[in-house]
Amino acid sequence: MKVAVISDIHGNLPALEAVMNDIKKRRVDKIICLGDIVGKGPSSKATIDICKKECDIVIKGNWEDFIYKAYLDINRGETDKVSDRISWYAGSIGAERMEYLGQLPHSTEFYFSGKLARLFHAHPKNFNRYYQNSPIEQRLELFDFGDFSEVKETAGIAIYADIHSAYLQAGQGRYLINVGSVGNPLEATQASYVIIEDSEDNDSNFSVQFLRVTYDIEKAIDLAKEANVPDLDGYISELRTAVYFRRS
């Protein structure tokens, strides 16, 4: 089985289109999206529609989680709980797509090359954020199961996203994989995703391929300017430099 894993599109339509075109050339069996389809960029509606149509599984990211909660607050008239920035994104998505985001699962899991693979946005139990250099105790948590897990077993392969920086770590027969970001990468200005593939010759063999895809950054910036997205200058800076822009 050959599986493409994408994440953190963040409303960047040119980046998502470029990645989907690249995936189609590679003849994968399945596409899994680990969330954060929305926010930051201007094209959340379009990126939701593409992921809903093209991906076999879509996982809820932290942006889907808090934007959906904001949407519920707005519907209850509790607008004082919602920042102008998040209100802008929630309002641009629309009710039908917001309800779709609200029902997305927290994780998915399957057996791959004899190991349990668990895939989630940030953490199997919540949205805690752990990095490549986080304490080993925290990184080991990423192999745990939580209330959202169907299989109550420690994973042999944990695949996540959230930090916008791709990496692979291996130890004690377990593999920790971060797929990076399609629409808001923060270590290179090319869209990032991963393909995992098992072997037909050996039940325990598998490969992990990290891919970088060039896309039209200036087109993405033009779309953001036309929409006048919140924190426009910071968003442009991140796309052009792949360096996180710290917002006040």
Side-chain angles (χ1 to χ4, degrees), residues 14-170:
L16 179 59
E17 289 177 334
V19 165
M20 285 300 184
N21 286 336
D22 192 74
I23 289 173
K24 287 174 182 177
K25 295 175 186 176
R26 298 176 188 275
R27 301 179 183 276
V28 304
D29 300 302
K30 184 178 290 188
I31 304 173
I32 299 175
C33 176
L34 301 186
D36 277 15
I37 306 166
V38 303
K40 288 199 169 189
S43 304
S44 292
K45 279 186 178 181
T47 54
I48 291 169
D49 291 347
I50 291 171
C51 289
K52 184 178 180 180
K53 178 183 177 183
E54 301 293 341
C55 297
D56 297 273
I57 300 171
V58 180
I59 298 301
K60 182 185 292 185
N62 58 296
W63 270 78
E64 283 81 31
D65 185 65
F66 67 66
I67 282 184
Y68 182 70
K69 290 174 180 175
Y71 162 76
L72 295 179
D73 286 337
I74 292 167
N75 284 352
R76 289 192 292 263
E78 299 174 354
T79 55
D80 57 310
K81 294 182 178 180
V82 183
S83 70
D84 291 342
R85 182 184 185 222
I86 301 307
S87 180
W88 188 95
Y89 289 113
S92 71
I93 290 170
E96 181 180 350
R97 291 176 180 84
M98 287 300 313
E99 293 298 338
Y100 167 73
L101 298 183
Q103 56 81 43
L104 293 175
H106 186 87
S107 60
T108 189
E109 50 209 357
F110 51 86
Y111 285 91
F112 188 83
S113 292
K115 295 180 180 295
L116 176 64
R118 183 171 291 116
L119 295 83
F120 44 88
H121 181 71
H123 191 285
K125 299 179 181 179
N126 45 53
F127 291 108
N128 287 349
R129 178 168 293 159
Y130 295 156
Y131 295 88
Q132 184 175 6
N133 60 351
S134 291
I136 185 64
E137 294 81 8
Q138 293 181 343
R139 281 175 282 146
L140 287 174
E141 288 179 21
L142 299 176
F143 295 97
D144 289 346
F145 59 87
D147 293 338
F148 304 102
S149 305
E150 293 183 6
V151 182
K152 305 299 183 182
E153 297 177 11
T154 300
I157 303 172
I159 304 178
Y160 79 117
D162 185 53
I163 62 173
H164 299 207
S165 181
Y167 71 88
L168 166 66
Q169 292 180 346

Side-chain angles (χ1 to χ4, degrees), residues 187-240:
E187 79 279 61
T189 56
Q190 292 171 294
S192 172
Y193 77 101
V194 162
I195 289 177
I196 60 171
E197 184 175 9
D198 59 11
S199 171
E200 296 180 358
D201 302 324
N202 188 308
D203 290 341
S204 63
N205 291 353
F206 70 98
S207 65
V208 182
Q209 186 177 12
F210 290 84
L211 298 109
R212 292 288 178 174
V213 180
T214 299
Y215 73 96
D216 192 338
I217 292 175
E218 294 308 312
K219 181 178 178 182
I221 288 171
D222 287 342
L223 291 172
K225 288 179 178 178
E226 289 172 12
N228 194 27
V229 298
D231 291 328
L232 177 61
D233 290 343
Y235 180 66
I236 292 172
S237 174
E238 288 183 353
L239 294 192
R240 285 181 174 160

